[in-house]
Amino acid sequence: MDINKISQVFEDFQIPEEPTFVSDHADFLMNYVIPNSVHLSAPKYIGHMTSALPYFMMPLAKVLIALNQNVVKIETSKVFTPLERQTIAMLHNLIYANSEAFYRNHTHEADGALGLFCSGGTVANLTGLWLARDRILGRKTKQTVDKVGLWRSMQAHGYSDLVVLVSDKGHYSIKKAMHVLGLGSESVSVVPTDKNHHIRLDILEDRIKELRKQNVGIMACIGIAGTTESGSCDDLLAMAELCEKYEQDGDPIHMHVDGAWGGPTIFSNKHKQKLAGIERARTVVIDAHKQLYTPMGAGILLCKDPKDVKAIQHSAQYIIRKGSHDLGKFSLEGSRPGMSMLLHSALNIMGKQGYEFLIDTGIERAQHFAQMIKEHKAFELITEPELNILTYRYVPKKLRGKTEQLDNQDSVNRLQVSLQKKQRSMGVSFVSRTKFYVDKYKQDLNVLRVVLANPLTTEKDLEEILDEQATYGDQLSK
Amino acid sequence: MDINKISQVFEDFQIPEEPTFVSDHADFLMNYVIPNSVHLSAPKYIGHMTSALPYFMMPLAKVLIALNQNVVKIETSKVFTPLERQTIAMLHNLIYANSEAFYRNHTHEADGALGLFCSGGTVANLTGLWLARDRILGRKTKQTVDKVGLWRSMQAHGYSDLVVLVSDKGHYSIKKAMHVLGLGSESVSVVPTDKNHHIRLDILEDRIKELRKQNVGIMACIGIAGTTESGSCDDLLAMAELCEKYEQDGDPIHMHVDGAWGGPTIFSNKHKQKLAGIERARTVVIDAHKQLYTPMGAGILLCKDPKDVKAIQHSAQYIIRKGSHDLGKFSLEGSRPGMSMLLHSALNIMGKQGYEFLIDTGIERAQHFAQMIKEHKAFELITEPELNILTYRYVPKKLRGKTEQLDNQDSVNRLQVSLQKKQRSMGVSFVSRTKFYVDKYKQDLNVLRVVLANPLTTEKDLEEILDEQATYGDQLSK
């Protein structure tokens, strides 16, 4: 059903006076909701960052709802507090691999946290930048933001402005987070990328020097481990070195890594080198509902130093009292579900080897798909898959082999949009689209985007998707 | 099991190398997690704001996880977008009761929203204040926060500072939200309350006048519909009048109502008068996972004016494109689960009458419990239940009838804490505790706090809870 037609079913704005039989409402869900939802777990839906879940998530979700714990405090969650802390420790160890003594001291420590479980990557990025803002504004004086507000605190610390540095491929949540935090878009110092979508390190270094001269505080330098659009990874090692080189008073620039998508690549012995340097980041974001295969609603902020969260601590008389082990002391959110149980279960059930298999398979399949595209005359590969994401576009018959001679790519650009919409409306398969600057053409291009995270997607599926797209493309460009 | 003992089970910080059988992990959950969670749905657990869920939530939760939609955009949620918008419209109509034409125009409008579905009350309050901040800083010039940052925008608008006004019973999330937004604790202008925990309207008005003189911008005036500690409701009608009286350039002060707990009282024809004036608030927060009986993870911000959300709009190339119907355009969070399906189901299945029954029953039971406490010689009622929350304390034998003569309530205060901890550790029943200023004693007192939202709690349960507490109290005060 078309979305506008579906909307008509959801026009009524009044809560019914009288109760309805559960069976009647179940019929409604069966007739209108389930068939009109998106088949995100279908092997041919390869355009989203949400794919299939392991089968054991469904019964576990039922248990989770039955228990309906609230992890804001121990009184409403008990075992879920140590369980969440252990889950965070497991991921912390995956990234930072500290000593046994370190985890023995800090995993269940009341006065710190190895990380924070959030409702998603946006809240995790926001929390990371909140923490970075309040750390840099708590160094020299006690005029912290939570006491005197942003501007007075900046003045007390001698900053004329405060910025984050991130490449032009940064997720939109970075700008949104800065906006929420009271810093304008000018506070997001966008660094250009090279043709592989990696942050330009030379420009980054120049920018740091320039900002230092202007007395602008660098709140954080953000590395991306898997850009949303093409799955590219910044050179995190080089970024960490820059952050350390330009330290002030012994404090390196706060390095934050947005690994919402690519963080779990660390599971792969073959590919983890692509994230080298991540272990030197002060904070790292990983989305569990992406490549850790939990249901929607789980983003994680990891903190290299468990004491960093004290910058954003809160307390009240009826909850999260001072000295308590309550998780709500440090979280942006208050009442929260025990989602960590699902991640904890997945980590245990699938194990490192299970995740390694999933990561390796996705990357291999993306490499194979890239090869298929290169060999197919109707398509042009735009970005090679660094992880399991790649972009390409359809080329109309009359322009094959000649697209480089076009000054104006407008008609080809429009074609990608209509092709993608056509494919989406047919409902058999799904590929997403985006738009970015393509070095080869010296302009912004619309491209088709594929994310290969569903282990059930076969080579045959990929062939059929290309055939389907070629057919639509040929029809639309006639 | 004691929480420290439980923590020992969750010491391991390494993700297992190899996969585990699901059945083995299920055994672990059965042995360690389920029995050590908190029995929030037990009729004798009357200290939390999380109680029992309707039975149909469990199978529905399984459906929700099976579909695993992402409501950030239509492409990953399709029907869930109109479904969420309808759910919001139903609640908007419950509070604001606008015309049919209004809902026909705005329920599914791309360029606005009747409200925003959030992961909880804290994010909903934060979003409401974010919106209020950016509205007041977008009135006079185009120097908005998202462009030039908080301080420059404040200057451009001629404000020396920016505050919210809220009573001293405001939820801790207000301070946290202001902290995140870049405004210090001095920006939360705390207004004293009367002996019934209602905001002092005379002081509120004086404060508004004073702030106006000082050229301080009043970002929002926050009314509370059901304080966390005692379920008290501010006089929202009088607050709305003040907000309108002190308008500037035709724009009333932004009135925000934190109805996370008490908002659903509006379902009760008998008690909704307590919230009179809520329909004049510009933004209202209601937690669905509290008195709308959905599972944890559902807070809602309602916006009287559907265009207000444009102050916090964001877009990107690969998602929530300009002009799209994507819900992610206005939400603080990015990827989100389709939790609205559970609320939509509950509203339909229970109907207005079902919710009215639940609200009325809770308030009646609280009134009855207050009477029981008054008649029991071992207890002293501290706050009468305005809604379904009340507070009281145990009085040791030797002090009965004499507590008012005590200058120093320290020993009685300590006793409430040890009694509450004793009861909690026994695991049969649960009552929470808090600390606030009690007018009668002219000092802060520790009190026991009860929330009566579980329809399965009987009078006999309440009698037994008091008996249990009297026994512990007598033992502890010997």
Side-chain angles (χ1 to χ4, degrees), chain A residues 165-181:
Chain A
L165 288 154
V166 65
S167 95
D168 56 22
K169 297 297 178 295
H171 190 253
Y172 75 97
S173 65
I174 303 293
K175 269 201 181 140
K176 184 157 64 169
M178 291 296 278
H179 176 185
V180 172
L181 292 170

Side-chain angles (χ1 to χ4, degrees), chain A residues 10 12 16 20 38 69 75 86 108 119 133-134 146 150 176 179 182 185 296 331 333 348 352 424, chain B residues 10 12 16 20 38 68-69 75 86 108 119 133-134 146 150 176 179-180 182 185 331 333 348 352 424:
Chain A
F10 297 88
D12 204 354
T20 304
V38 182
Q69 305 290 291
E75 274 186 353
Q86 181 186 32
H108 298 289
S119 67
R133 184 194 74 183
D134 287 20
D146 63 324
L150 187 55
K176 184 157 64 169
H179 176 185
S185 50
M296 196 49 59
S331 62
E333 292 160 280
N348 277 287
K352 277 189 181 175
R424 182 179 69 189
Chain B
F10 297 88
D12 204 354
T20 304
V38 183
N68 199 33
Q69 305 291 290
E75 274 186 351
Q86 181 185 32
H108 298 288
S119 67
R133 185 194 73 182
D134 287 19
D146 63 324
L150 187 54
K176 185 158 63 170
H179 176 186
V180 172
S185 50
S331 63
E333 292 161 281
N348 277 288
K352 277 189 181 175
R424 181 179 70 188

Side-chain angles (χ1 to χ4, degrees), chain A residues 1 3 6-7 10 12-20 22 25 28-29 33 36-38 40 48 50 53 55 58 60-62 65-69 75-79 83 86 90 93 100 103 108 119 122 130 133-134 145-147 149-152 161 171-172 176 179-182 184-186 228-229 295-296 314 317-321 331-334 336-337 344-345 348-353 420 424 430 433-435, chain B residues 1 3 6-7 10 12-20 22 25 28-29 33 36-38 40 48 50 53 55 58 60-62 65-69 75-79 83 86 90 93 100 103 108 119 122 130 133-134 145-147 149-152 161 171-172 176 179-182 184-186 228-229 295-296 314 317-321 331-334 336-337 344-345 348-353 420 424 430 433-435:
Chain A
M1 239 205 273
I3 186 76
I6 300 172
S7 294
F10 297 88
D12 204 354
F13 54 86
Q14 288 188 326
I15 302 166
E17 257 325 297
E18 294 186 19
T20 304
V22 173
H25 191 71
F28 172 80
L29 294 175
V33 176
N36 290 311
S37 61
V38 182
L40 296 171
H48 299 304
T50 313
L53 294 179
Y55 77 96
M58 270 187 280
L60 287 181
K62 212 169 147 181
I65 301 296
L67 298 174
N68 199 32
Q69 305 290 291
E75 274 186 353
T76 49
S77 61
K78 210 170 171 182
V79 66
L83 180 142
Q86 181 186 32
M90 286 162 113
N93 179 250
E100 199 178 323
Y103 292 104
H108 298 289
S119 67
T122 297
W130 176 26
R133 184 194 74 183
D134 287 20
V145 191
D146 63 324
K147 282 186 199 133
L150 187 55
W151 178 248
R152 286 187 195 92
D161 215 331
H171 190 253
Y172 75 97
K176 184 157 64 169
H179 176 185
V180 172
L181 292 170
S185 50
E186 290 161 18
T228 308
E229 293 168 293
M296 196 49 59
H314 279 259
Q317 282 298 344
Y318 41 94
I319 201 171
I320 56 171
R321 299 175 186 104
S331 62
L332 187 144
E333 292 160 280
R336 283 190 299 124
H344 184 267
S345 297
N348 277 287
I349 292 170
M350 307 213 279
K352 277 189 181 175
Q353 290 177 2
Q420 192 261 353
R424 182 179 69 189
F430 179 84
R433 70 172 202 272
T434 187
K435 187 180 193 171
Chain B
M1 238 205 274
I3 185 75
I6 299 173
S7 293
F10 297 88
D12 204 354
F13 55 88
Q14 288 188 326
I15 302 166
E17 255 328 295
E18 293 185 21
T20 304
V22 173
H25 191 70
F28 172 80
L29 295 175
V33 176
N36 290 310
S37 61
V38 183
L40 296 171
H48 300 304
T50 313
L53 294 179
Y55 77 97
M58 270 187 281
L60 286 181
K62 214 169 144 181
I65 301 295
L67 297 175
N68 199 33
Q69 305 291 290
E75 274 186 351
T76 49
S77 60
K78 210 170 169 183
V79 66
L83 180 141
Q86 181 185 32
M90 287 162 111
N93 179 250
E100 200 178 323
Y103 292 104
H108 298 288
S119 67
T122 296
W130 177 26
R133 185 194 73 182
D134 287 19
V145 191
D146 63 324
K147 283 185 198 133
L150 187 54
W151 177 247
R152 287 187 195 94
D161 214 332
H171 189 254
Y172 75 98
K176 185 158 63 170
H179 176 186
V180 172
L181 293 169
S185 50
E186 289 160 18
T228 308
E229 292 168 294
M296 195 49 59
H314 278 260
Q317 281 299 344
Y318 41 95
I319 202 172
I320 56 173
R321 300 175 186 104
S331 63
L332 188 144
E333 292 161 281
R336 284 189 300 122
H344 184 266
S345 297
N348 277 288
I349 292 170
M350 308 214 278
K352 277 189 181 175
Q353 290 176 2
Q420 193 261 353
R424 181 179 70 188
F430 178 84
R433 70 172 202 272
T434 187
K435 187 180 193 172

Side-chain angles (χ1 to χ4, degrees), chain A residues 121-412:
Chain A
T122 297
V123 173
N125 271 330
L126 170 57
T127 307
L129 295 181
W130 176 26
L131 187 156
R133 184 194 74 183
D134 287 20
R135 271 192 66 234
I136 196 172
L137 294 181
R139 267 183 215 164
K140 295 181 193 163
T141 83
K142 289 191 173 175
Q143 303 283 82
T144 52
V145 191
D146 63 324
K147 282 186 199 133
V148 301
L150 187 55
W151 178 248
R152 286 187 195 92
S153 185
M154 275 163 65
Q155 280 187 313
H157 284 79
Y159 295 121
S160 64
D161 215 331
L162 218 52
V163 301
V164 292
L165 288 154
V166 65
S167 95
D168 56 22
K169 297 297 178 295
H171 190 253
Y172 75 97
S173 65
I174 303 293
K175 269 201 181 140
K176 184 157 64 169
M178 291 296 278
H179 176 185
V180 172
L181 292 170
L183 294 154
S185 50
E186 290 161 18
S187 286
V188 180
S189 182
V190 176
V191 180
T193 40
D194 62 22
K195 66 181 182 355
N196 297 318
H197 294 202
H198 298 174
I199 193 165
R200 284 272 305 269
L201 295 162
D202 51 341
I203 300 179
L204 176 63
E205 183 159 11
D206 289 347
R207 195 74 62 84
I208 294 173
K209 285 186 205 163
E210 207 177 293
L211 291 166
R212 278 283 154 79
K213 263 189 220 152
Q214 293 165 6
N215 219 17
V216 172
I218 302 173
M219 218 174 97
C221 181
I222 305 172
I224 311 170
T227 60
T228 308
E229 293 168 293
S230 60
S232 314
C233 301
D234 287 334
D235 184 341
L236 302 178
L237 199 59
M239 290 181 84
E241 274 160 12
L242 284 180
C243 287
E244 285 156 22
K245 179 175 170 188
Y246 290 93
E247 55 85 26
Q248 268 194 324
D249 310 324
D251 209 1
I253 295 171
H254 185 118
M255 179 167 161
H256 175 81
V257 171
D258 182 354
W261 179 255
T265 308
I266 209 100
F267 277 110
S268 162
N269 284 303
K270 204 165 158 187
H271 299 288
K272 69 177 170 193
Q273 196 50 37
K274 292 167 183 166
L275 268 53
I278 196 172
E279 71 286 354
R280 283 158 76 175
R282 191 115 193 170
T283 42
V284 173
V285 166
I286 295 178
D287 266 3
H289 60 220
K290 292 192 170 93
Q291 294 205 84
L292 295 178
Y293 295 85
T294 75
M296 196 49 59
I300 288 141
L301 176 74
L302 296 170
C303 301
K304 184 173 185 145
D305 184 336
K307 298 296 183 192
D308 276 1
V309 294
K310 295 178 76 172
I312 56 170
Q313 186 165 349
H314 279 259
S315 68
Q317 282 298 344
Y318 41 94
I319 201 171
I320 56 171
R321 299 175 186 104
K322 279 168 193 156
S324 79
H325 280 75
D326 296 340
L327 291 167
K329 273 202 303 189
F330 305 118
S331 62
L332 187 144
E333 292 160 280
S335 295
R336 283 190 299 124
M339 280 293 283
S340 54
M341 188 189 93
L342 303 185
L343 177 55
H344 184 267
S345 297
L347 291 173
N348 277 287
I349 292 170
M350 307 213 279
K352 277 189 181 175
Q353 290 177 2
Y355 280 108
E356 181 172 31
F357 170 81
L358 288 167
I359 296 290
D360 284 349
T361 308
I363 297 177
E364 266 165 47
R365 195 166 288 122
Q367 288 166 347
H368 180 75
F369 193 44
Q371 198 53 42
M372 285 166 66
I373 290 166
K374 282 184 202 167
E375 288 164 10
H376 200 303
K377 60 186 186 314
F379 298 97
E380 179 185 10
L381 188 71
I382 301 292
T383 54
E384 290 274 358
E386 208 171 312
L387 303 179
N388 49 3
I389 300 177
L390 58 85
T391 62
Y392 61 106
R393 61 176 186 165
Y394 168 82
V395 183
K397 278 184 183 165
K398 56 182 179 195
L399 290 177
R400 284 177 197 165
K402 299 177 208 157
T403 45
E404 287 171 58
Q405 296 154 28
L406 285 178
D407 276 345
N408 184 338
Q409 301 274 345
D410 273 6
S411 69
V412 191

